[in-house]
Amino acid sequence: MLVEQIRGNLADGAWRPANTDVLRLDQWEAQKRRLRKLTDGGVDIALSLDRGTRLRDGDVLWADEGGDSIIVARLEFGEVMLVDLPRRDADGALRAAVELGHAIGDQHWPAVVKGGQVLVPVTLDREVMDSVMRSHAFTGISHRFVPGTDVIAYLAPQDADRLWGTR
Amino acid sequence: MKTICRIGVGGPVGSGKTALIEELVPRLVQRHLKVLVVTGDAVSTEDADHVRRALKGILAEDRIAGVPAAVRRDAVEDLESRFPDTDVVLIENGAADFVVHVIDVAAGDRIPRKNGPGISRSDILVVNKTDLAPYVDADLGVMAADAAVQRGGKPVVFTNCRTGFGIPELTERILEGALFDVGVRV
């Protein structure tokens, strides 16, 4: 089934479907405009959206005439690493930012600065990321892991694209 | 306005991304698709020049651009706006809707097991240079099995750009996975 337009979102409150089939997309797939994947019910969805369109959790991809049967996109986000930098003095802050940037770039990890913190998506394995961060033994830099759903609401579309888009 | 499908061809230096693009373009053109190419030269125009020579008579020179990574997205948009009736743009190491990740047998048969975003998340994993397997003691069966574990059933295609082995299968996988709404033209 070719889907070229989003029909609405479950949060609109306008939908009272009797049957809901779900297309599950992870954080990487959710950034794509073009994608082919099976729904839970086995429907082959070929997504071809305009470049400006961004999928949101609960987007209705297909609905029958009365809206009784619908196919909904469910976005599933993994963890994000939040990094705090020291800010006591300008030199220390600059050194920490450069050292962290160098380490992150060395790993080819994408990153976004938001609300005074650096956000890095957990690409493969949290333990590996944690170990990389600890092995650098940064001074004054701390990190923790939070669910992606905790930060997605605060992210601008270009931030989400930078974190999870195909670059 | 129609959205042009962007297909990224990524992978380590020397894995055969440019060679793969040179093999893919004639087959896409054969399917009546209108194609653009953006190569991933870091500091030279070597790749773009090579692609232009290899595709002479198949793809017009001005449909091929070679740019450093930092300005690649601009180059893609520029090329797309100059050729708006394009169906697909192949982008070496660039942001895309659909990603083909290329590794080569000679880098060692443990590469899929070692994993990485390109191995696990790409839409198609290409294991290139299969002809070199006997010379580097690489077990293609092991590579296939490890890749299957990391990729949860997403396609893995073995290719040899010198003989064209695997290229028809790769073309079909791209058509069904990414060009599903434009690949039907005859």
Side-chain angles (χ1 to χ4, degrees):
Chain A
M1 178 189 297
L2 183 63
V3 175
E4 295 181 297
Q5 267 181 336
I6 307 296
R7 303 284 301 271
N9 191 284
L10 281 187
D12 300 344
W15 303 92
R16 302 271 183 280
N19 304 300
T20 304
D21 192 2
V22 175
L23 182 70
R24 288 180 201 282
L25 302 175
D26 66 25
Q27 57 205 9
W28 322 102
E29 292 167 331
Q31 308 305 318
K32 290 171 177 270
R33 313 289 178 274
R34 189 172 267 276
L35 171 92
R36 192 160 179 176
K37 198 173 185 186
L38 296 181
T39 64
D40 286 1
V43 179
D44 181 6
I45 298 286
L47 206 59
S48 173
L49 302 172
D50 287 340
R51 213 159 286 291
T53 307
R54 177 162 302 275
L55 277 174
R56 291 179 306 153
D57 188 56
D59 274 348
V60 177
L61 305 176
W62 173 86
D64 67 358
E65 211 147 293
D68 290 333
S69 293
I70 65 173
I71 296 176
V72 172
R74 279 287 170 220
L75 274 45
E76 292 162 354
F77 284 85
E79 284 185 312
V80 171
M81 181 171 74
L82 287 183
V83 187
D84 280 298
L85 298 170
R87 307 157 189 232
R88 283 183 306 278
D89 63 287
D91 262 5
L94 182 59
R95 185 185 310 114
V98 170
E99 285 177 1
L100 177 69
H102 188 268
I104 287 177
D106 186 41
Q107 295 293 322
H108 294 212
W109 291 342
V112 159
V113 177
K114 201 80 193 170
Q117 290 178 310
V118 181
L119 279 62
V120 184
V122 175
T123 36
L124 288 172
D125 184 57
R126 170 218 269 237
E127 309 310 321
V128 172
M129 279 182 89
D130 194 46
S131 138
V132 168
M133 289 297 285
R134 281 187 285 110
S135 68
H136 281 283
F138 298 117
T139 309
I141 296 178
S142 62
H143 69 279
R144 63 198 161 95
F145 295 90
V146 300
T149 42
D150 286 7
V151 298
I152 187 71
Y154 307 107
L155 293 178
Q158 63 269 27
D159 294 335
D161 195 36
R162 185 170 279 275
L163 289 183
W164 294 296
T166 308
R167 308 183 68 80
Chain B
M1 198 191 84
K2 192 184 73 160
T3 306
I4 299 170
C5 179
R6 295 176 184 170
I7 296 182
V9 180
V13 173
S15 59
K17 299 181 290 294
T18 308
L20 205 68
I21 287 173
E22 290 172 354
E23 289 294 314
L24 279 173
V25 170
R27 284 171 171 82
L28 296 173
V29 169
Q30 206 172 36
R31 301 295 185 105
H32 308 278
L33 295 178
K34 298 191 182 71
V35 183
L36 298 173
V37 174
V38 177
T39 64
D41 291 299
V43 290
S44 71
T45 58
E46 191 65 35
D47 281 348
D49 294 343
H50 196 279
V51 172
R52 286 198 184 99
R53 281 197 300 274
L55 296 178
K56 205 169 179 61
I58 296 167
L59 195 66
E61 285 195 5
D62 56 355
R63 298 183 74 96
I64 301 164
V67 288
V71 294
R72 200 156 301 147
R73 189 173 281 213
D74 291 344
V76 170
E77 284 170 6
D78 175 57
L79 210 54
E80 285 181 348
S81 65
R82 282 197 283 136
F83 299 97
D85 68 335
T86 296
D87 297 302
V88 55
V89 48
L90 298 175
I91 309 164
E92 219 175 295
N93 288 335
D97 303 301
F98 188 89
V99 173
V100 177
H101 188 75
V102 188
I103 59 173
D104 81 278
V105 162
D109 61 9
R110 291 187 303 133
I111 294 286
R113 199 179 318 160
K114 289 178 181 174
N115 209 351
I119 301 291
S120 61
R121 291 211 313 264
S122 55
D123 295 286
I124 300 177
L125 177 67
V126 169
V127 183
N128 195 22
K129 307 187 191 179
T130 51
D131 53 325
L132 297 183
Y135 304 105
V136 295
D137 276 337
D139 187 330
L140 298 182
V142 165
M143 295 184 87
D146 289 343
V149 169
Q150 308 287 12
R151 294 176 52 76
K154 284 185 291 181
V156 181
V157 181
F158 288 83
T159 59
N160 175 2
C161 289
R162 297 180 75 88
T163 62
F165 170 77
I167 304 295
E169 184 192 352
L170 177 61
T171 309
E172 290 308 314
R173 295 289 192 182
I174 289 174
L175 289 172
E176 69 185 27
L179 299 169
F180 39 75
D181 50 350
V182 288
V184 290
R185 205 179 304 146
V186 180

